[in-house]
Amino acid sequence: ISSLEELTEFICDYSRSKNVPTLLGFGNTPSLSDSSIYVLECGADGFILQDPAEYQKKSIAGVLLDKSYRKIAVEMLTRLGYSPKEANGMFNDVLAFEKLLAEVCLTIEEWNSPDVYSMINNEFSLEEADELATNYPLAESVKGAGYGNAKTLLIDEPEYIKRLGEVYAEENLDAIKNYMILKYVLGEVTYLDQQAFELYLEATKALSGSSGRLSDEKYAYHFVLSALCDPLENCYLKKHDATETKAQVEELCYQVRDYYRQMLEETDWLSKETVAEAIKKLDKITVNVAYPEKRIDYSGLNLNGLFYRDCLDAIIDFNHQLDVEKTNQPVEEGYWIMSTLECNAYYNPQENSINILLGILGGNFYNDDMPTEEVYAGIGSVIGHEISHAFDTNGAQFDENGDFRDWWADEDYDTFQARAQKLIDYFDSIRVCGIIKANGALFQ
């Protein structure tokens, strides 16, 4: 690629650029304003230093990210034929180019602010979005990826799209090419040989402060779970029947939900109108336990005779086609956004659902031999925690149908935010280690 025109041809040809970070990513997601319909979300690739704030002044985390990813990049680029000096120069170029983009992007703290949804709920037509992007070939890249008939685009950060159009210029050609090459290499490092994988492990251990390693079998499990979640879950559930556990924990969820109703009815700082809306939302919370009712059908995916990296390509193509088929379609509920084999649980504001994963229904949180008191203290507290997300500073902005809508009386919402600020101030006062204090805005 020796010109901006050739770069544009590359970006818009999905068969060539599908695994390469091309400054803008696409995927269908439920509309914030109407969670029953898919819209095409367009956003940044993500940053090497993760938080855009790090490009203004690096924290300890930013220094660690720079050091760890630089080590991977330099070693892998050297294996590709670049000199260490050239590789370091490319890394510096990419950080400098990302700084131009990061200047207009929301920081992690801003993504966690109560008004984040009002900031990111920006819907455009394809033509409007393309006009916003000016020089960057937004419309053509959308069409090249198969989403050309999308009626509505959700642009999280319009200022990013505008900045993209400004920097997509001939004078930045080398910087953009370095960005794509380096971030492609970083994205591929876990899919190559043992040497590359060990390099990745050393870098991630440095980031987390951990030592040692898992067995190869466990790493293999995690990669299969990431690539083919539903088929792996099917294998597990065929071997381990969770029907009884599902029924028992569902009943406990309804008990906890009933107690929330009692707490809301006894609340003395909310108006009757807001309490009625809150109870309406509470009563409509969908309870999902142990395993999803619907799964992706992978019977049409053929991996026979393929090497590992080719398998991943086939899976990427298969999942991409599934996503393309969602364009402009109604959202089909019943699918989960996390693997039920994880030891976790979550609240989905756009479905107004709590999801208690099978992976958490064992050990200290829940087992068949637990006395009632321990069940309430274990999985009962998890259930209560997930329901609380329906009414935290983020979840409280969605109604009973999962739509981003203000259902609060103005005075009640102001009081609610004032009470939330007290928690933020409290966490701000906690000294985590040495001079490092907690950031209350990141605690939900």
Side-chain angles (χ1 to χ4, degrees), residues 28-76:
N28 278 300
T29 187
S31 166
L32 288 171
S33 300
D34 181 358
S35 59
S36 68
I37 296 293
Y38 281 116
V39 294
L40 186 66
E41 185 174 17
C42 300
D45 289 329
F47 295 94
I48 290 175
L49 302 184
Q50 297 181 1
D51 188 351
E54 296 289 350
Y55 292 84
Q56 303 306 315
K57 183 180 180 181
K58 281 183 192 169
S59 67
I60 293 173
V63 172
L64 280 172
L65 286 162
D66 184 324
K67 183 179 179 180
S68 297
Y69 285 119
R70 185 183 295 269
K71 180 176 175 60
I72 295 175
V74 170
E75 184 163 329
M76 294 305 299

Side-chain angles (χ1 to χ4, degrees), residues 321-375:
Q321 186 55 41
L322 289 180
D323 192 64
V324 167
E325 291 170 3
K326 293 178 182 177
T327 307
N328 304 324
Q329 297 302 305
V331 173
E332 188 176 357
E333 295 185 357
Y335 296 98
W336 292 12
I337 59 175
M338 289 178 66
S339 169
T340 195
L341 300 182
E342 293 186 33
C343 181
N344 212 333
Y346 69 95
Y347 171 75
N348 186 335
Q350 290 192 276
E351 286 187 353
N352 191 25
S353 66
I354 58 168
N355 304 269
I356 312 301
L357 311 183
L358 186 59
I360 204 170
L361 299 178
N364 294 329
F365 285 105
Y366 179 85
N367 63 65
D368 295 336
D369 300 325
M370 272 185 172
T372 303
E373 295 86 352
E374 288 188 23
V375 171

Side-chain angles (χ1 to χ4, degrees), residues 21-26 42-45 133 136 138 141-142 160-161 164 179:
T22 54
L23 300 167
L24 196 62
F26 315 114
C42 300
D45 289 329
Y136 185 84
L138 186 148
S141 58
V142 167
Y160 174 81
I161 303 298
L164 198 54
Y179 171 98

Side-chain angles (χ1 to χ4, degrees), residues 1 29 91 104 139 182 189 274 289 382 404:
I1 294 174
T29 187
F91 196 87
V104 297
L182 188 142
V189 70
T274 299
V289 173
V382 172
F404 175 56

Side-chain angles (χ1 to χ4, degrees), residues 403-421:
D403 296 337
F404 175 56
R405 179 180 70 84
D406 183 7
W407 48 268
W408 290 72
D410 290 343
E411 185 177 341
D412 292 337
Y413 194 70
D414 290 343
T415 303
F416 171 67
Q417 290 296 343
R419 293 164 74 95
Q421 187 61 47

Side-chain angles (χ1 to χ4, degrees), residues 256-264 282 384-385 387-388:
V256 176
R257 192 171 69 175
D258 287 344
Y259 189 73
Y260 260 90
R261 186 181 300 106
Q262 179 183 331
M263 288 193 294
L264 284 168
L282 178 72
H385 170 83
I387 293 177
S388 78

Side-chain angles (χ1 to χ4, degrees), residues 186-241:
L186 290 177
E188 293 290 311
V189 70
T190 56
Y191 307 135
L192 304 174
D193 58 11
Q194 190 71 27
Q195 181 181 343
F197 185 65
E198 294 296 338
L199 176 65
Y200 163 79
L201 289 183
E202 288 304 311
T204 53
K205 285 190 290 186
L207 285 172
S208 63
S210 61
S211 60
R213 58 169 290 153
L214 301 177
S215 67
D216 286 347
E217 184 180 40
K218 286 186 177 179
Y219 285 123
Y221 163 78
H222 285 297
F223 276 108
V224 174
L225 183 62
S226 174
L228 290 172
C229 175
D230 286 32
L232 188 59
E233 289 180 5
N234 285 337
C235 291
Y236 182 88
L237 290 167
K238 285 179 181 177
K239 187 174 182 180
H240 302 281
D241 182 18

